[in-house]
Amino acid sequence: MKAALDKNYWDSRYQEGSTGWDLGGVSPALKAYIDQLEDKTQKILIPGGGNAYELAYLHENGFTNSYLIDLSPTALANFKKNNPSIDERYLIEGNYFELEDQFDLIVEQTFFCAIDRNLRKQYAEKTHQLLNPDGKLVGLLWSEDFGVDAPPFGGTREEYIGYFNELFEVRTMEESYNSIKPRSGRELFIILQK
Ligand SMILES: C[S@@+](CC[C@H](N)C(=O)[O-])C[C@H]1O[C@@H](n2cnc3c(N)ncnc32)[C@H](O)[C@@H]1O
């Protein structure tokens, strides 16, 4: 039977240390994007952030209006332990699809591929709803389909365009040139403007 991809599922993964997706540091593609941002007051969200090295990087670099949301209390506890100087108010424990707030930038990394495939359209709609009128969704999506019924669920550019096209201007959805080696040639870098 297919596992429900709920709070228990994800929290157990962190408790067991079964976190093969975790890069152990800031993703180079996201670091490069963050490094060229000028407005440090913008409100940023990392959904399904997990160990959220990017959130720590944002705060260290003066982007102090940055948040993460994750279902897993263990992931959040790990983040707090590893980043004691970051105030807890920036860590939201909860379901992305139930969040009510507004952001200027939402940063995607292995969250879209972790949710059930039938929630993809809802992800596009929820992300659109959570963004300010000029807001952007920026990050990485797999560019291949893994053909298995468990996360990570991959996909194709054509499929993604189908979810986002009506709600966003697709500024960039191209092969990422600075992915980590094991993901090289297998990821799209996206910049979607509301
Ligand atoms: C594959 S992990 C990726 C974690 C992190 N982005 C990274 O790259 O290391 C997916 C994350 O999404 C979280 N998650 C899954 N469904 C969620 C939901 N509906 N709302 C918030 N977080 C969710 C999980 O707890 C997990 O931390």
Side-chain angles (χ1 to χ4, degrees), residues 5 96-97 108 110-128 137 140-148 150-165 167-168 188 192:
L5 300 173
Y96 182 64
F97 295 95
E108 167 56 48
T110 55
F111 172 53
F112 181 85
C113 71
I115 59 171
D116 205 285
R117 273 180 182 279
N118 63 23
L119 290 176
R120 289 183 164 189
K121 184 71 193 164
Q122 215 175 307
Y123 171 104
E125 289 164 359
K126 185 66 192 174
T127 303
H128 184 266
L137 170 66
L140 295 155
L141 299 177
W142 292 107
S143 58
E144 60 186 63
D145 209 321
F146 304 113
V148 285
F153 301 107
T156 61
R157 188 177 191 282
E158 291 64 38
E159 181 195 347
Y160 303 147
I161 292 282
Y163 301 126
F164 294 108
N165 211 16
L167 298 167
F168 294 87
L188 299 166
L192 308 185

Side-chain angles (χ1 to χ4, degrees), residues 5-7 10-11 14 21-23 46-54 69-72 75 94-97 108-111 113-115 119 151 183:
L5 300 173
D6 56 10
K7 177 174 166 175
W10 289 108
D11 204 57
Y14 285 99
W21 58 79
D22 192 307
L23 298 188
I46 306 189
N51 282 320
Y53 306 100
E54 289 74 21
I69 181 166
D70 204 289
L71 282 179
S72 161
N95 186 342
Y96 182 64
F97 295 95
E108 167 56 48
Q109 176 168 250
T110 55
F111 172 53
C113 71
I115 59 171
L119 290 176
R183 298 185 188 178

